[in-house]
Amino acid sequence: MIPSVLKIAMRALARNKARSALTMLGIVIGVAAVIAMVSLGQGAQEQVQQQIASMGTMLIVQAGSQNSGGLRGGAGTSTTLTPEDVQAMLRDDSAVRAASPSVGVAVTLVFGNQNWSTRAEGVNTQYPDIRNRGVVSGEFFTDSDVTSAARVAVIGQTVANQLFPGIDPVGQSLRVRNLPFRIIGVLEPKGQTQFGQDQDDTLIIPYTTAMKKLLSITYIPTAYISAGTPEQTKIAEQQVGDTLRQRHNIRQGQPDDFTVRNLTDVANTAEATTQVMTLLLGGIAAVSLLVGGIGIMNIMLVSVTERTREIGIRMAVGARTKHVQYQFLIESLVLGLAGGLGGILIGLGVSFGLSIGFGWPQLISPVAVVGSALFSMAIGVFFGYYPAKKAAALDPIEALRFE
């Protein structure tokens, strides 16, 4: 029974090829939009997760504002944060896994007749572990380099490309503020942050070298703190605050002379935002699927009216009510399924095209692909049920009289 009904349904669709194609177009557009939007949304979410992983479980401690003679400086101008504070965090705070001072300074690098302006950052040997960043050639500096304030440097890939095109920078010497520095390593490339900052345009040196030989200071403006796990960042944040308040003799009720930023909270907020945007994009695209389903119902109702006499003849020669109902259900199911498959192909093509053409991240979701196909079939059945029921309920005698 089913094969014969299927054959009749396919023959009916083939008689009106243009109308069938236009009916499927709504489903095609809906499925393609869902797949494209979800793939772009999940691609953006994956990019955020990679950036979260690259940051590690990190806290950023910054010196606070400074008051002097009635003048108030901005955040980071206080001189109360010291390398000894960082050592105390490592020693006394159980949730702190690694810690590094950070002393930043804008510099101009000179190599031969080439020069490049960048930002030098003074850190200690725990910096690569905190920032999940190793070297691709050479090596990172050692604790003895930090203790002796050695003039050694590890450069980012952008600096290497600008000053050392075609040659190995490891072992070369460049000048930083007229002081010679020996390059001992090149950092692994990281690319840009979500805010457009080039993470490879940097020069990493021992923090003692930055403090003594570039800035002549005894304090640090910033410290990087890493907790053991994301769950421990809150504990580490509390412990670091308590340690600094105790060391800086800050009584209860007095304002802190430092700030602690928990990047895990910032990262989680960014990830949650991209998840909401992915759902929003997918939901908006799914509306067009419903519009396509309404189009199927509309065309099937027109088809029932046009084929009333045909239905009456079939029922008069022995076709049962369920046969007629199955025929129209199969027709709407085929329209939904064919539209879904076409939409999947177009959606995949649009996703790859946008990714290549605009450089947008994209991640094809198998769940979105399979779900769109099943949903398009379900729409075909759902919106085809009423026309099929209406066709099956026709009185054969009245149908035969229909002109």
Side-chain angles (χ1 to χ4, degrees), residues 180-193:
F181 277 72
R182 180 170 56 90
I183 299 174
I184 60 174
V186 178
L187 292 168
E188 63 181 8
K190 281 281 192 177
Q192 292 186 343
T193 67

mmCIF file with all atom_site columns, all heavy atoms in Angstrom, residues 180-193:
data_model
loop_
_atom_site.group_PDB
_atom_site.id
_atom_site.type_symbol
_atom_site.label_atom_id
_atom_site.label_alt_id
_atom_site.label_comp_id
_atom_site.label_asym_id
_atom_site.label_entity_id
_atom_site.label_seq_id
_atom_site.pdbx_PDB_ins_code
_atom_site.Cartn_x
_atom_site.Cartn_y
_atom_site.Cartn_z
_atom_site.occupancy
_atom_site.B_iso_or_equiv
_atom_site.pdbx_formal_charge
_atom_site.auth_seq_id
_atom_site.auth_comp_id
_atom_site.auth_asym_id
_atom_site.auth_atom_id
_atom_site.pdbx_PDB_model_num
ATOM 1   N N   . PRO A 1 180 ? 72.048 47.358 24.801 1.00 0.00 ? 180 PRO A N   1
ATOM 2   C CA  . PRO A 1 180 ? 72.038 46.122 24.017 1.00 0.00 ? 180 PRO A CA  1
ATOM 3   C C   . PRO A 1 180 ? 71.350 44.980 24.783 1.00 0.00 ? 180 PRO A C   1
ATOM 4   O O   . PRO A 1 180 ? 71.611 44.764 25.968 1.00 0.00 ? 180 PRO A O   1
ATOM 5   C CB  . PRO A 1 180 ? 73.529 45.835 23.803 1.00 0.00 ? 180 PRO A CB  1
ATOM 6   C CG  . PRO A 1 180 ? 74.221 46.485 24.961 1.00 0.00 ? 180 PRO A CG  1
ATOM 7   C CD  . PRO A 1 180 ? 73.402 47.695 25.307 1.00 0.00 ? 180 PRO A CD  1
ATOM 8   N N   . PHE A 1 181 ? 70.470 44.274 24.100 1.00 0.00 ? 181 PHE A N   1
ATOM 9   C CA  . PHE A 1 181 ? 69.792 43.110 24.664 1.00 0.00 ? 181 PHE A CA  1
ATOM 10  C C   . PHE A 1 181 ? 70.030 41.916 23.733 1.00 0.00 ? 181 PHE A C   1
ATOM 11  O O   . PHE A 1 181 ? 69.950 42.062 22.507 1.00 0.00 ? 181 PHE A O   1
ATOM 12  C CB  . PHE A 1 181 ? 68.290 43.354 24.794 1.00 0.00 ? 181 PHE A CB  1
ATOM 13  C CG  . PHE A 1 181 ? 67.888 44.097 26.037 1.00 0.00 ? 181 PHE A CG  1
ATOM 14  C CD1 . PHE A 1 181 ? 68.166 45.452 26.177 1.00 0.00 ? 181 PHE A CD1 1
ATOM 15  C CD2 . PHE A 1 181 ? 67.236 43.447 27.077 1.00 0.00 ? 181 PHE A CD2 1
ATOM 16  C CE1 . PHE A 1 181 ? 67.796 46.145 27.306 1.00 0.00 ? 181 PHE A CE1 1
ATOM 17  C CE2 . PHE A 1 181 ? 66.858 44.127 28.222 1.00 0.00 ? 181 PHE A CE2 1
ATOM 18  C CZ  . PHE A 1 181 ? 67.133 45.494 28.344 1.00 0.00 ? 181 PHE A CZ  1
ATOM 19  N N   . ARG A 1 182 ? 70.273 40.762 24.323 1.00 0.00 ? 182 ARG A N   1
ATOM 20  C CA  . ARG A 1 182 ? 70.473 39.548 23.533 1.00 0.00 ? 182 ARG A CA  1
ATOM 21  C C   . ARG A 1 182 ? 69.162 38.769 23.460 1.00 0.00 ? 182 ARG A C   1
ATOM 22  O O   . ARG A 1 182 ? 68.534 38.504 24.485 1.00 0.00 ? 182 ARG A O   1
ATOM 23  C CB  . ARG A 1 182 ? 71.571 38.686 24.152 1.00 0.00 ? 182 ARG A CB  1
ATOM 24  C CG  . ARG A 1 182 ? 71.850 37.386 23.392 1.00 0.00 ? 182 ARG A CG  1
ATOM 25  C CD  . ARG A 1 182 ? 73.116 36.725 23.936 1.00 0.00 ? 182 ARG A CD  1
ATOM 26  N NE  . ARG A 1 182 ? 73.011 36.504 25.373 1.00 0.00 ? 182 ARG A NE  1
ATOM 27  C CZ  . ARG A 1 182 ? 72.507 35.388 25.922 1.00 0.00 ? 182 ARG A CZ  1
ATOM 28  N NH1 . ARG A 1 182 ? 72.057 34.411 25.138 1.00 0.00 ? 182 ARG A NH1 1
ATOM 29  N NH2 . ARG A 1 182 ? 72.463 35.252 27.237 1.00 0.00 ? 182 ARG A NH2 1
ATOM 30  N N   . ILE A 1 183 ? 68.757 38.424 22.252 1.00 0.00 ? 183 ILE A N   1
ATOM 31  C CA  . ILE A 1 183 ? 67.513 37.667 22.067 1.00 0.00 ? 183 ILE A CA  1
ATOM 32  C C   . ILE A 1 183 ? 67.804 36.193 22.306 1.00 0.00 ? 183 ILE A C   1
ATOM 33  O O   . ILE A 1 183 ? 68.672 35.599 21.658 1.00 0.00 ? 183 ILE A O   1
ATOM 34  C CB  . ILE A 1 183 ? 66.956 37.881 20.652 1.00 0.00 ? 183 ILE A CB  1
ATOM 35  C CG1 . ILE A 1 183 ? 66.643 39.355 20.424 1.00 0.00 ? 183 ILE A CG1 1
ATOM 36  C CG2 . ILE A 1 183 ? 65.686 37.048 20.445 1.00 0.00 ? 183 ILE A CG2 1
ATOM 37  C CD1 . ILE A 1 183 ? 66.222 39.677 19.023 1.00 0.00 ? 183 ILE A CD1 1
ATOM 38  N N   . ILE A 1 184 ? 67.058 35.609 23.232 1.00 0.00 ? 184 ILE A N   1
ATOM 39  C CA  . ILE A 1 184 ? 67.282 34.200 23.566 1.00 0.00 ? 184 ILE A CA  1
ATOM 40  C C   . ILE A 1 184 ? 66.100 33.307 23.162 1.00 0.00 ? 184 ILE A C   1
ATOM 41  O O   . ILE A 1 184 ? 66.191 32.081 23.270 1.00 0.00 ? 184 ILE A O   1
ATOM 42  C CB  . ILE A 1 184 ? 67.565 34.021 25.072 1.00 0.00 ? 184 ILE A CB  1
ATOM 43  C CG1 . ILE A 1 184 ? 66.371 34.516 25.908 1.00 0.00 ? 184 ILE A CG1 1
ATOM 44  C CG2 . ILE A 1 184 ? 68.843 34.739 25.469 1.00 0.00 ? 184 ILE A CG2 1
ATOM 45  C CD1 . ILE A 1 184 ? 66.509 34.241 27.395 1.00 0.00 ? 184 ILE A CD1 1
ATOM 46  N N   . GLY A 1 185 ? 64.994 33.883 22.714 1.00 0.00 ? 185 GLY A N   1
ATOM 47  C CA  . GLY A 1 185 ? 63.845 33.055 22.340 1.00 0.00 ? 185 GLY A CA  1
ATOM 48  C C   . GLY A 1 185 ? 62.791 33.841 21.596 1.00 0.00 ? 185 GLY A C   1
ATOM 49  O O   . GLY A 1 185 ? 62.772 35.084 21.617 1.00 0.00 ? 185 GLY A O   1
ATOM 50  N N   . VAL A 1 186 ? 61.903 33.106 20.915 1.00 0.00 ? 186 VAL A N   1
ATOM 51  C CA  . VAL A 1 186 ? 60.771 33.682 20.202 1.00 0.00 ? 186 VAL A CA  1
ATOM 52  C C   . VAL A 1 186 ? 59.497 33.021 20.732 1.00 0.00 ? 186 VAL A C   1
ATOM 53  O O   . VAL A 1 186 ? 59.407 31.787 20.782 1.00 0.00 ? 186 VAL A O   1
ATOM 54  C CB  . VAL A 1 186 ? 60.873 33.475 18.680 1.00 0.00 ? 186 VAL A CB  1
ATOM 55  C CG1 . VAL A 1 186 ? 59.652 34.059 17.980 1.00 0.00 ? 186 VAL A CG1 1
ATOM 56  C CG2 . VAL A 1 186 ? 62.152 34.095 18.137 1.00 0.00 ? 186 VAL A CG2 1
ATOM 57  N N   . LEU A 1 187 ? 58.536 33.833 21.152 1.00 0.00 ? 187 LEU A N   1
ATOM 58  C CA  . LEU A 1 187 ? 57.286 33.310 21.710 1.00 0.00 ? 187 LEU A CA  1
ATOM 59  C C   . LEU A 1 187 ? 56.436 32.645 20.639 1.00 0.00 ? 187 LEU A C   1
ATOM 60  O O   . LEU A 1 187 ? 56.473 33.033 19.464 1.00 0.00 ? 187 LEU A O   1
ATOM 61  C CB  . LEU A 1 187 ? 56.485 34.441 22.349 1.00 0.00 ? 187 LEU A CB  1
ATOM 62  C CG  . LEU A 1 187 ? 57.075 35.083 23.615 1.00 0.00 ? 187 LEU A CG  1
ATOM 63  C CD1 . LEU A 1 187 ? 56.324 36.359 23.935 1.00 0.00 ? 187 LEU A CD1 1
ATOM 64  C CD2 . LEU A 1 187 ? 57.031 34.117 24.788 1.00 0.00 ? 187 LEU A CD2 1
ATOM 65  N N   . GLU A 1 188 ? 55.658 31.646 21.050 1.00 0.00 ? 188 GLU A N   1
ATOM 66  C CA  . GLU A 1 188 ? 54.706 31.044 20.128 1.00 0.00 ? 188 GLU A CA  1
ATOM 67  C C   . GLU A 1 188 ? 53.647 32.073 19.761 1.00 0.00 ? 188 GLU A C   1
ATOM 68  O O   . GLU A 1 188 ? 53.235 32.879 20.592 1.00 0.00 ? 188 GLU A O   1
ATOM 69  C CB  . GLU A 1 188 ? 54.050 29.817 20.753 1.00 0.00 ? 188 GLU A CB  1
ATOM 70  C CG  . GLU A 1 188 ? 53.226 30.103 21.993 1.00 0.00 ? 188 GLU A CG  1
ATOM 71  C CD  . GLU A 1 188 ? 52.624 28.851 22.598 1.00 0.00 ? 188 GLU A CD  1
ATOM 72  O OE1 . GLU A 1 188 ? 52.970 27.753 22.143 1.00 0.00 ? 188 GLU A OE1 1
ATOM 73  O OE2 . GLU A 1 188 ? 51.807 28.973 23.538 1.00 0.00 ? 188 GLU A OE2 1
ATOM 74  N N   . PRO A 1 189 ? 53.207 32.076 18.490 1.00 0.00 ? 189 PRO A N   1
ATOM 75  C CA  . PRO A 1 189 ? 52.234 33.095 18.065 1.00 0.00 ? 189 PRO A CA  1
ATOM 76  C C   . PRO A 1 189 ? 50.879 32.897 18.737 1.00 0.00 ? 189 PRO A C   1
ATOM 77  O O   . PRO A 1 189 ? 50.428 31.780 18.932 1.00 0.00 ? 189 PRO A O   1
ATOM 78  C CB  . PRO A 1 189 ? 52.161 32.901 16.553 1.00 0.00 ? 189 PRO A CB  1
ATOM 79  C CG  . PRO A 1 189 ? 52.617 31.491 16.317 1.00 0.00 ? 189 PRO A CG  1
ATOM 80  C CD  . PRO A 1 189 ? 53.609 31.193 17.392 1.00 0.00 ? 189 PRO A CD  1
ATOM 81  N N   . LYS A 1 190 ? 50.243 34.015 19.066 1.00 0.00 ? 190 LYS A N   1
ATOM 82  C CA  . LYS A 1 190 ? 48.927 33.998 19.701 1.00 0.00 ? 190 LYS A CA  1
ATOM 83  C C   . LYS A 1 190 ? 47.854 34.690 18.880 1.00 0.00 ? 190 LYS A C   1
ATOM 84  O O   . LYS A 1 190 ? 46.674 34.445 19.048 1.00 0.00 ? 190 LYS A O   1
ATOM 85  C CB  . LYS A 1 190 ? 49.011 34.688 21.073 1.00 0.00 ? 190 LYS A CB  1
ATOM 86  C CG  . LYS A 1 190 ? 49.590 33.836 22.175 1.00 0.00 ? 190 LYS A CG  1
ATOM 87  C CD  . LYS A 1 190 ? 48.577 32.863 22.708 1.00 0.00 ? 190 LYS A CD  1
ATOM 88  C CE  . LYS A 1 190 ? 49.073 32.218 23.989 1.00 0.00 ? 190 LYS A CE  1
ATOM 89  N NZ  . LYS A 1 190 ? 48.074 31.314 24.568 1.00 0.00 ? 190 LYS A NZ  1
ATOM 90  N N   . GLY A 1 191 ? 48.262 35.591 17.974 1.00 0.00 ? 191 GLY A N   1
ATOM 91  C CA  . GLY A 1 191 ? 47.272 36.326 17.188 1.00 0.00 ? 191 GLY A CA  1
ATOM 92  C C   . GLY A 1 191 ? 46.671 37.469 17.979 1.00 0.00 ? 191 GLY A C   1
ATOM 93  O O   . GLY A 1 191 ? 47.190 37.892 19.016 1.00 0.00 ? 191 GLY A O   1
ATOM 94  N N   . GLN A 1 192 ? 45.525 37.949 17.504 1.00 0.00 ? 192 GLN A N   1
ATOM 95  C CA  . GLN A 1 192 ? 44.874 39.090 18.126 1.00 0.00 ? 192 GLN A CA  1
ATOM 96  C C   . GLN A 1 192 ? 43.879 38.656 19.186 1.00 0.00 ? 192 GLN A C   1
ATOM 97  O O   . GLN A 1 192 ? 43.323 37.563 19.120 1.00 0.00 ? 192 GLN A O   1
ATOM 98  C CB  . GLN A 1 192 ? 44.152 39.934 17.068 1.00 0.00 ? 192 GLN A CB  1
ATOM 99  C CG  . GLN A 1 192 ? 45.077 40.643 16.097 1.00 0.00 ? 192 GLN A CG  1
ATOM 100 C CD  . GLN A 1 192 ? 44.331 41.578 15.173 1.00 0.00 ? 192 GLN A CD  1
ATOM 101 O OE1 . GLN A 1 192 ? 43.114 41.488 15.027 1.00 0.00 ? 192 GLN A OE1 1
ATOM 102 N NE2 . GLN A 1 192 ? 45.041 42.495 14.539 1.00 0.00 ? 192 GLN A NE2 1
ATOM 103 N N   . THR A 1 193 ? 43.669 39.534 20.147 1.00 0.00 ? 193 THR A N   1
ATOM 104 C CA  . THR A 1 193 ? 42.620 39.308 21.127 1.00 0.00 ? 193 THR A CA  1
ATOM 105 C C   . THR A 1 193 ? 41.285 39.687 20.501 1.00 0.00 ? 193 THR A C   1
ATOM 106 O O   . THR A 1 193 ? 41.220 40.216 19.392 1.00 0.00 ? 193 THR A O   1
ATOM 107 C CB  . THR A 1 193 ? 42.858 40.164 22.379 1.00 0.00 ? 193 THR A CB  1
ATOM 108 O OG1 . THR A 1 193 ? 42.706 41.551 22.026 1.00 0.00 ? 193 THR A OG1 1
ATOM 109 C CG2 . THR A 1 193 ? 44.253 39.937 22.940 1.00 0.00 ? 193 THR A CG2 1
#
